[in-house]
Amino acid sequence: MSLPVVFIPEYIDKAGKDLLTARYRCIAPWFGGAARLDAPREDAMRSHLYEADAVIVRVFTISADDMRRAENLKVVVKHGVGFDNIDVAAVTARGIPVAYTPTGNTNAVAEHAMALMLSLMRRIVPAGEALRAGRFADRNDFQGEELEGKTLGIVGVGRIGSLVARKAAFGFGMNVIAFDPYVSPERYDGPAVLTDFETVMKTADIVTFHVPLTRKTRRMVDARTLAFVRPSCRIVNTSRGGVIAQEALTEALHDGRIAGAALDVFEEEPIPPDHPLCRLPNVVLTPHIGGLTQTAMRRTALLAAQAVIDALEGRTPEYIVNQP
Ligand code: NAD
């Protein structure tokens, strides 16, 4: 009997690929070559999809046309979260599960949020730049602030937000308040005090966002919201750029109506390097790397591989997005 075929068009960590290679015939065209192929030569590779029993995708697209041609396919696995590259309806219509790996980078993003907070508070970026420019002696200009005793506001206490709450409260001695209309105070068992959005924005020293981008969360921070935050407030966003009206934020930062912002995600990605935000001194920017650690890549690859194994062995993968 021939082995099931698993098609892996983009780089995943070796641990996940090894797990699959031990059981199946893996087609991973990038393997052994340029290890980090994020912009796959999609069309050249697409024919492999049509012989596959399972596929693991990152940004590789799966269309309705693919689903007509991929006759052997039994599972589509998203390495990560966010399914805009997969026609979920077309996969579901074929009775096939779409699995995903929502927990693979939870800790990575939570730690990145903490890193951004610390970077803002301790002015790590401008202080380091001063040193490199020969201004070591200017160190008194870089007096920072401490997290301990400050109030952290968390918007969205799901997987990432609730982990940030624990790290901030138990690790850094912060007071934590949070807003999440879908989490009831009876069910929530973390250290944050649940409250309303306005209270979070009005009282927190730092507000960090951990919500999905939805109709309700799109631009939930806009000029109106920024009018009632305290001038000492700092905003951290590792969720999705669209949650914050970037223009309004840029203006508020420029005018000193808020103290700082640290952003890993942007309304438009990549953010143009000449964007006004990139010129502001009280801003920390990272290129959507919140979830990108070696540990998270390994964990995600293992979760994706396990989803393939579960599906090919007749079990329902742990996390699926559809009801095939
Ligand atoms: P999750 O689904 O576990 O948690 C999201 C939380 O947001 C839920 O508790 C939900 O109730 C809450 N929420 C939904 N709408 C809300 C609203 N209007 N107001 C307040 N809360 C609301 O998701 P997660 O795993 O914690 O991830 C959160 C987000 O982080 C993801 O949606 C994704 O956009 C982002 N993310 C970013 C990176 C990165 O690299 N920067 C990596 C992974 C995830």
Side-chain angles (χ1 to χ4, degrees):
M1 203 181 74
S2 60
L3 286 175
V5 174
V6 182
F7 177 42
I8 314 171
E10 297 144 284
Y11 169 78
I12 70 166
D13 187 88
K14 186 172 175 302
K17 182 172 175 287
D18 287 349
L19 197 60
L20 294 169
T21 310
R23 291 174 171 76
Y24 312 119
R25 182 160 78 82
C26 290
I27 303 176
W30 47 269
F31 201 73
R36 279 160 183 77
L37 182 62
D38 271 334
R41 295 163 301 240
E42 279 206 21
D43 290 338
M45 291 200 285
R46 197 158 290 277
S47 59
H48 296 304
L49 179 62
Y50 307 141
E51 56 173 315
D53 293 273
V55 62
I56 297 177
V57 296
R58 292 178 66 185
V59 296
F60 190 90
T61 57
I62 304 283
S63 67
D65 183 48
D66 291 327
M67 290 316 297
R68 278 188 286 277
R69 299 175 66 178
E71 289 178 356
N72 299 335
L73 209 56
K74 293 165 191 73
V75 64
V76 174
V77 180
K78 168 76 186 195
H79 176 291
V81 280
F83 317 100
D84 7 328
N85 54 321
I86 302 170
D87 188 331
V88 176
V91 183
T92 310
R94 277 271 311 277
I96 294 174
V98 177
Y100 70 129
T101 60
T103 55
N105 58 16
T106 302
N107 187 63
V109 181
E111 285 193 9
H112 195 65
M114 297 312 303
L116 291 176
M117 283 177 220
L118 287 166
S119 179
L120 269 179
M121 297 295 264
R122 300 307 300 267
R123 307 184 60 199
I124 303 273
V125 175
E129 279 168 1
L131 174 149
R132 285 164 196 265
R135 293 188 285 114
F136 197 105
D138 289 357
R139 65 197 186 90
N140 285 323
D141 295 345
F142 297 104
Q143 240 175 66
E145 284 277 4
E146 297 180 24
L147 293 182
E148 189 173 69
K150 298 287 188 308
T151 297
L152 175 65
I154 300 182
V155 181
V157 276
R159 281 177 291 264
I160 299 171
S162 53
L163 190 53
V164 169
R166 294 210 299 275
K167 290 179 191 297
F170 305 139
F172 289 95
M174 300 183 82
N175 307 311
V176 186
I177 57 175
F179 167 66
D180 191 324
Y182 307 105
V183 170
S184 68
E186 296 77 42
R187 273 188 41 228
Y188 176 71
D189 63 353
V193 174
L194 296 180
T195 181
D196 58 279
F197 182 59
E198 200 166 315
T199 304
V200 167
M201 297 305 297
K202 274 186 175 158
T203 55
D205 297 296
I206 303 174
V207 185
T208 182
F209 287 83
H210 301 290
V211 289
L213 184 60
T214 65
R215 210 166 35 81
K216 286 216 169 119
T217 62
R218 185 176 290 282
R219 301 195 150 213
M220 72 191 297
V221 175
D222 57 10
R224 199 188 65 86
T225 329
L226 290 165
F228 59 70
V229 299
R230 300 191 316 194
S232 59
C233 180
R234 293 165 170 93
I235 286 180
V236 174
N237 189 14
T238 56
S239 63
R240 285 291 178 262
V243 169
I244 297 178
Q246 214 161 274
E247 260 182 55
L249 178 69
T250 308
E251 265 178 40
L253 286 160
H254 182 265
D255 300 348
R257 281 184 282 118
I258 70 166
L263 310 171
D264 185 48
V265 288
F266 305 90
E267 281 188 319
E268 181 194 349
E269 293 187 10
I271 181 171
D274 59 352
H275 190 282
L277 262 179
C278 302
R279 290 197 294 270
L280 292 172
N282 47 349
V283 170
V284 178
L285 306 173
T286 53
H288 204 144
I289 57 166
L292 281 181
T293 63
Q294 290 180 11
T295 308
M297 288 299 280
R298 182 169 193 276
R299 197 179 281 141
T300 303
L302 286 170
L303 286 166
Q306 190 57 51
V308 168
I309 294 168
D310 285 343
L312 294 186
E313 292 185 356
R315 295 183 296 272
T316 304
E318 188 173 4
Y319 299 104
I320 57 170
V321 271
N322 57 349
Q323 300 291 331

